[in-house]
């Protein structure tokens, strides 16, 4: 389809896609206990989600997708992620990567000399999303401190002049489930890294082909089914972003979107846990000890604060001022959720450690998310620079 024809295609209806995703999530609700103990993703889930129109989150509205810019789309995207997170946090986390990585093209404004190549590349990539392909990310590296732009992986060229990737990558959420994976790498001694796309069609990361080495299969006790494998790439074919400088400028959008969507998963887990605990405790609510009552109130207060922080994040993004608020909100929600889930265990008692109950897994899922995009140390560094240091300088 040509660009001119695509421009006349109306955007998909976010409300209709949300309705389909919520209906699908409800159909999975009875499987929630089984899904919590999975250690791998189910390809059938991705096929079912593609039929709802979920992959249109990676396509602009003028080309038949859902993206209307970050301020206009953030609530819709958060709602889709929340629907999935209530029944399957691992699946919600992996699928949230899809719109996040496409934002490197959706939020990119290329220079005039790059525009033709950029638009041709963007057209091919959105065709993939329109066709129902899921995209993921494998950007983190050992020793990077969680900063995906502090990459030591390098882009080179093979004997045919094609771009290749060489380097170590880990936390590749969705490896083996997503057809395309986005990563970061450097070109020689360039000051800025670049974004590149790996075609992983047909690649089984547990039994990889020549050019990929499985360093460590994902064995996380939290987010256990995300297939976040550690891989080494040796001259593996990649396609660099067609407008690398403009792509780096889009980081403000991808950072805000990732913070919102990761916080969405945490909040959904927390609120689901509070609802489940309230139901379980209701028959003996009048017999709760004073300590248990006080602790329960603390749990509800933390859940309420987390929801307020989340609404503040969304409002800041919609107002065009979300850089600091989204990162602060993500960190605050992660801290509140982890503390609240620990406190829930004290109220519920020893049964909260049973594998037949969801609370232990929910706690580990929330803890795992606290380390993601960005992890605690990097997040605090950025918050200090954006907040305290900036105020002092001002």
């Amino acid at each position: 389809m040509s660009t001119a024809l695509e421009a006349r295609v109306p955007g998909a209806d976010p409300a209709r896609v949300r309705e389909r995703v919520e209906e699908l999530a409800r159909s999975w609700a009875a499987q929630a206990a089984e899904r919590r103990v999975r250690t791998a993703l189910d390809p059938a889930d991705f096929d079912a989600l593609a039929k709802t129109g979920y992959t249109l989150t990676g396509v602009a509205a003028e080309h038949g997708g859902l993206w209307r810019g970050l301020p206009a789309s953030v609530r819709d995207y958060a709602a889709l992620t929340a629907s999935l997170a209530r029944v399957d946090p691992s699946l919600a986390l992996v699928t949230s990567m899809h719109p996040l990585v496409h934002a490197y093209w959706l939020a990119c404004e290329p220079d005039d000399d790059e525009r033709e190549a950029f638009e041709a590349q963007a057209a091919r990539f959105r065709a993939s999303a329109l066709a129902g392909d899921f995209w993921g990310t494998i950007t983190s590296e050992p020793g990077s401190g969680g900063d995906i732009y502090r990459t030591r992986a390098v882009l080179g060229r093979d004997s045919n002049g094609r771009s290749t990737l060489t380097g170590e990558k880990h936390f590749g959420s969705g490896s083996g489930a997503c057809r395309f994976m986005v990563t970061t790498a450097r070109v020689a001694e360039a000051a800025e890294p670049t974004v590149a796309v790996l075609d992983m069609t047909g690649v089984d990361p547990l039994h990889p082909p020549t050019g990929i080495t499985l360093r460590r299969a994902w064995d996380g006790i939290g987010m256990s089914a995300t297939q976040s494998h550690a891989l080494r790439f040796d001259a593996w074919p990649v396609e660099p972003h067609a407008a690398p400088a403009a792509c780096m400028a889009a980081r403000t959008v991808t950072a805000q979107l990732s913070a919102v969507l990761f916080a969405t998963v945490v909040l959904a887990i927390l609120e689901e846990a509070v609802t489940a605990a309230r139901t379980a405790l209701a028959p003996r609510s009048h017999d709760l000890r004073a300590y248990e009552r006080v602790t329960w109130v603390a749990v509800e207060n933390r859940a309420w604060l987390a929801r307020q922080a989340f609404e503040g994040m969304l409002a800041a993004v919609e107002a065009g001022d979300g850089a600091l608020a989204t990162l602060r909100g993500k960190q605050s929600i992660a801290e509140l959720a982890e503390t609240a889930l620990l406190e829930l265990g004290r109220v519920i008692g020893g049964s909260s450690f049973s594998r037949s109950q969801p609370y232990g897994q929910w706690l580990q899922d929330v803890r795992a998310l606290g380390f993601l995009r960005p992890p605690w140390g990097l997040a605090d560094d950025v918050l200090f620079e954006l907040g305290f240091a900036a105020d002092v300088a001002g």
Side-chain angles (χ1 to χ4, degrees):
M1 183 181 290
S2 70
T3 302
L5 288 175
E6 288 174 332
R8 295 200 294 270
V9 177
D13 181 2
R16 181 64 180 130
V17 173
R18 177 178 177 178
E19 180 182 309
R20 293 186 187 123
V21 171
E22 288 177 344
E23 182 180 354
L24 181 61
R26 284 194 297 271
S27 74
W28 288 340
Q31 308 167 4
E34 180 269 327
R35 286 172 175 271
R36 278 194 298 273
V37 298
R38 287 181 181 178
T39 56
L41 296 161
D42 186 345
D45 290 346
F46 291 83
D47 293 339
L49 271 174
K51 292 176 181 176
T52 68
Y54 186 98
T55 61
L56 298 179
T57 55
V59 180
E62 60 264 32
H63 300 301
L66 296 173
W67 180 260
R68 291 166 170 79
L70 182 61
S73 298
V74 65
R75 284 186 188 270
D76 293 327
Y77 285 22
L80 295 176
T81 299
S83 295
L84 299 175
R86 295 186 190 103
V87 296
D88 194 330
S90 288
L91 180 63
L93 178 65
V94 171
T95 53
S96 74
M97 305 291 182
H98 178 82
L100 173 59
V101 298
H102 276 283
Y104 282 113
W105 285 266
L106 294 169
C108 183
E109 290 293 336
D111 294 334
D112 289 342
D113 61 338
E114 298 174 322
R115 187 169 299 278
E116 183 177 357
F118 169 82
E119 290 182 350
Q121 183 182 68
R124 286 187 288 105
F125 292 169
R126 67 171 167 265
S128 167
L130 285 165
D133 294 331
F134 274 87
W135 289 51
T137 174
I138 185 164
T139 49
S140 296
E141 298 179 18
S144 67
D147 186 345
I148 64 174
Y149 303 109
R150 205 175 89 186
T151 174
R152 291 181 290 186
V154 295
L155 294 183
R157 291 192 180 276
D158 63 15
S159 58
N160 296 314
R162 297 176 303 180
S163 294
T164 60
L165 173 73
T166 297
E168 301 277 348
K169 296 287 180 177
H170 62 181
F171 301 136
S173 299
S175 298
C178 297
R179 183 174 179 183
F180 297 94
M181 302 288 279
V182 169
T183 193
T184 52
R186 293 189 177 278
V187 179
E189 299 300 321
E192 286 285 324
T194 190
V195 166
V197 176
L198 298 86
D199 186 341
M200 302 291 280
T201 305
V203 173
D204 178 358
L206 299 181
H207 303 90
T210 300
I212 301 178
T213 302
L214 176 66
R215 290 299 199 195
R216 186 182 67 257
W218 178 243
D219 60 354
I221 59 175
M223 291 292 154
S224 56
T226 57
Q227 297 180 194
S228 303
H229 306 312
L231 305 172
R232 176 173 175 82
F233 296 91
D234 291 289
W236 184 260
V238 294
E239 182 173 352
H241 198 288
C247 171
M248 288 297 99
R251 284 182 290 183
T252 57
V253 171
T254 60
Q256 291 178 60
L257 184 58
S258 68
V260 169
L261 296 184
F262 290 4
T264 299
V265 178
V266 174
L267 183 63
I269 293 171
L270 172 59
E271 293 183 338
E272 195 71 11
V274 171
T275 298
R278 186 183 292 113
T279 300
L281 292 169
R284 64 183 184 94
S285 60
H286 295 297
D287 297 325
L288 291 178
R289 296 183 175 88
Y291 170 78
E292 293 169 329
R293 292 185 176 213
V294 170
T295 305
W296 175 259
V297 170
V299 168
E300 288 197 315
N301 285 346
R302 294 187 203 284
W304 182 84
L305 286 170
R307 170 55 68 176
Q308 305 318 303
F310 185 71
E311 294 298 329
M313 293 171 70
L314 296 179
V317 172
E318 290 170 332
D321 188 29
L324 178 58
T326 52
L327 183 54
R328 195 184 300 282
K330 185 259 183 183
Q331 293 299 93
S332 298
I333 291 169
E335 289 179 356
L336 288 163
E338 183 174 346
T339 302
L341 285 168
L342 284 169
E343 291 171 333
L344 265 185
R346 294 170 183 164
V347 178
I348 295 170
S351 64
S352 65
F353 290 94
S354 171
R355 291 186 183 276
S356 67
Q357 299 295 317
Y359 305 103
Q361 187 60 54
W362 278 334
L363 173 59
Q364 297 304 332
D365 286 345
V366 164
R367 291 188 67 236
L369 283 163
F371 290 99
L372 293 174
R373 195 66 66 83
W376 293 111
L378 177 59
D380 287 342
D381 283 347
V382 175
L383 283 170
F384 185 84
E385 293 299 326
L386 290 177
F388 180 83
D391 289 342
V392 171

